[in-house]
Amino acid sequence: MADKKKQFAVVGLGRFGGSVCKELYRMGHQVLAIDNREHKVNEFAQYSTHAVIADSTDEKALQSLGIRNFEYVIVAIGDNIQSSILTTLVLKEMEVENVWVKAQSAYHHKVLDKIGADRIIHPEHDMGVRIAQHLTSEKIVDFIELSDEYSIVELLATNKIHNRSIIELDVRAKFGCTILAVKKGEDINVSPLPEDVINEKDILIVIGHKRDLKRFEEEGL
């Protein structure tokens, strides 16, 4: 089911880890908050299912928390690259299925990749890219980079395509992009039908090669 609650552990309760912890808890998921600083654990006790003081590089400490039972572990240690790497290594040796790690640098990223991190996150870089996209185009509402070549963008429909159906726009044939969903106010139409009509100020959620998305934004909207 789409609304199935999941179990997350967040290691490191700085700005990034703290934000992730709060949002997951707000969404109703089970969240274990872990930090080696007592004041941080006390601060996030109200924003988590359970908050504990622990050394995340200590395998026995993680075992005692039942860390292997969690579907996702987010390693958000920001100021100690060595601890981040050791924690990731211990988690993967314990066969935790999904370990997502915040990277501080290209070197940090390379090491995390080699020791088996399942996803490596660069929050500052990712946010910088999204802000730059907003600044350079009034049509771009949001932007998610999937790889060096592919992205998902939320594009604001203009008067140019008002009252035209998806089949009329023929975005896939003309631009090589795919419309995944259409937002109309608070409503989201996932997998829209070819005959569905687009109106001005609707938001199109589109996936494709960055080059094709840019062409659609400039020529199709």
Side-chain angles (χ1 to χ4, degrees):
M1 294 175 61
D3 60 351
K4 178 180 178 288
K5 302 308 178 188
K6 296 180 179 179
Q7 290 185 316
F8 297 90
V10 180
V11 181
L13 301 173
R15 280 183 298 179
F16 173 69
S19 296
V20 172
C21 180
K22 283 183 179 180
E23 184 62 15
L24 289 171
Y25 185 67
R26 185 194 67 78
M27 293 168 69
H29 296 290
Q30 293 186 42
V31 185
L32 171 64
I34 303 170
D35 203 289
N36 60 4
R37 298 166 292 180
E38 184 177 1
H39 72 280
K40 280 294 181 184
V41 171
N42 291 337
E43 179 185 345
F44 282 89
Q46 61 182 314
Y47 302 116
S48 59
T49 312
H50 191 45
V52 296
I53 304 168
D55 176 3
S56 60
T57 66
D58 183 342
E59 184 174 348
K60 289 183 178 178
L62 294 180
Q63 283 177 340
S64 71
L65 295 172
I67 204 79
R68 284 187 63 184
N69 297 324
F70 287 80
E71 296 169 74
Y72 291 86
V73 179
I74 299 93
V75 180
I77 299 169
D79 56 354
N80 189 328
I81 290 177
Q82 181 175 324
S83 290
S84 169
I85 292 168
L86 288 174
T87 298
T88 305
L89 186 60
V90 169
L91 290 167
K92 292 313 296 181
E93 286 181 343
M94 292 176 69
E95 298 181 349
V96 174
E97 190 173 347
N98 295 293
V99 180
W100 291 29
V101 192
K102 174 187 175 182
Q104 293 289 90
S105 63
Y107 166 75
H108 190 190
H109 183 118
K110 186 180 290 187
V111 175
L112 291 170
D113 187 48
K114 286 192 176 297
I115 62 176
D118 297 285
R119 181 157 180 180
I120 302 166
I121 310 158
H122 295 264
E124 292 84 1
H125 170 267
D126 295 346
M127 184 54 69
V129 169
R130 292 171 79 171
I131 289 173
Q133 293 288 336
H134 281 293
L135 289 169
T136 55
S137 174
E138 294 178 357
K139 298 174 187 174
I140 294 179
V141 179
D142 206 349
F143 174 93
I144 300 172
E145 192 170 45
L146 299 177
S147 69
D148 290 340
E149 296 184 341
Y150 290 89
S151 301
I152 296 175
V153 292
E154 292 188 2
L155 295 167
L156 191 64
T158 66
N159 186 58
K160 180 178 178 180
I161 62 171
H162 177 67
N163 209 30
R164 297 182 65 190
S165 69
I166 289 175
I167 197 167
E168 281 182 83
L169 295 175
D170 206 9
V171 173
R172 185 176 293 179
K174 292 178 181 176
F175 301 99
C177 308
T178 301
I179 297 175
L180 299 176
V182 179
K183 286 185 184 178
K184 292 179 179 288
E186 295 299 313
D187 297 324
I188 302 179
N189 178 8
V190 179
S191 299
L193 300 171
E195 58 269 22
D196 288 345
V197 173
I198 304 298
N199 298 118
E200 186 177 2
K201 296 188 178 178
D202 285 352
I203 294 173
L204 310 180
I205 301 171
V206 189
I207 188 171
H209 194 286
K210 291 178 182 178
R211 176 190 61 245
D212 297 330
L213 291 169
K214 187 67 176 174
R215 198 160 56 88
F216 175 50
E217 176 206 336
E218 293 177 346
E219 301 173 17
L221 291 176

